Amino acid sequence: MTLVTPLRAKDRPLSLVALGDSLTAGYGLPADAAFPVQLEAALKAKGHAVTVANAGVSGDTATGGLDRVEWSVPDGTDGVILELGANDMLRGTDPAVTERALDAIIATLKARGIPVLLAGMRAAPNLGPDYGKRFDAIYPRLASRYDLILYPFFLDGIAGDRSLNLADGLHPTKAGVARVVAGILPSVEDFLKRLRQGS
């Protein structure tokens, strides 16, 4: 008779949701090139049992993410990678509005027992130093407030690089997404370690 050993909590597959905008959704790219797909593949290649669901909506703001967080993040989700704010910045939205929405998303998930990895964004220089200072402070402040793992700048290493962005200069190519994944991977691995320890 074969005995089936129950999967220990620390060994079971973890379910992540990437909640974001077009940068998560994979705007202008084939489905298999989107950030959640490439991230899941990179994590599995390093031996992690994990799935990464794509809850990216092109054009979404932080407020839009708040409006849909309950149905975009299903029960049973182990952790959320939160990537929102770029569209707020491009529209010149008051950073206080963006911060309130992100804060509410994090608080909603915390109340459901779902940890968050926060992916930061930075303001474009043409918005001026005052706006940039206020906007850029959002993510470190929220990370400190909620004791979150913070990846400071989601587009680190590709922002402004024409070879890694589509013709619009805003959205990464498949190779650009791969660069994003390589950059954020250590933070996500730290996040998975934290999730395993908490399970």
Side-chain angles (χ1 to χ4, degrees):
M1 187 170 107
T2 304
L3 291 175
V4 178
T5 306
L7 204 60
R8 293 176 296 174
K10 74 180 187 68
D11 296 327
R12 70 175 179 82
L14 291 174
S15 173
L16 302 184
V17 170
L19 179 66
D21 48 38
S22 56
L23 298 174
T24 288
Y27 175 86
L29 299 175
D32 64 354
F35 168 72
V37 179
Q38 292 203 47
L39 176 62
E40 180 178 314
L43 288 167
K44 286 181 173 176
K46 297 197 75 175
H48 297 287
V50 62
T51 60
V52 186
N54 191 340
V57 173
S58 292
D60 218 356
T61 61
T63 300
L66 175 60
D67 289 342
R68 66 183 177 89
V69 63
E70 290 288 8
W71 58 264
S72 290
V73 181
D75 290 341
T77 298
D78 292 297
V80 167
I81 299 171
L82 179 57
E83 177 276 307
L84 283 167
N87 288 309
D88 300 63
M89 178 268 293
L90 291 172
R91 297 175 187 184
T93 301
D94 182 348
V97 172
T98 303
E99 183 168 356
R100 278 197 299 271
L102 291 172
D103 188 296
I105 290 171
I106 296 164
T108 297
L109 292 170
K110 183 178 180 181
R112 293 175 59 190
I114 301 174
V116 171
L117 184 158
L118 186 59
M121 185 52 55
R122 289 183 184 155
N126 65 311
L127 292 164
D130 178 64
Y131 186 91
K133 185 177 179 181
R134 293 176 62 217
F135 183 87
D136 293 356
I138 292 172
Y139 299 91
R141 189 158 51 232
L142 288 172
S144 176
R145 185 179 302 157
Y146 288 99
D147 188 28
L148 306 180
I149 292 174
L150 171 67
Y151 183 62
F153 184 32
F154 189 73
L155 296 176
D156 189 30
I158 73 161
D161 187 333
R162 290 185 181 182
S163 69
L164 294 173
N165 285 279
L166 300 177
D168 63 12
L170 297 173
H171 297 95
T173 60
K174 182 176 181 178
V177 173
R179 180 74 63 86
V180 171
V181 168
I184 201 172
L185 196 60
S187 297
V188 178
E189 288 191 289
D190 286 345
F191 187 50
L192 293 179
K193 190 184 300 179
R194 186 181 284 196
L195 296 180
R196 294 286 187 198
Q197 289 170 345
S199 62

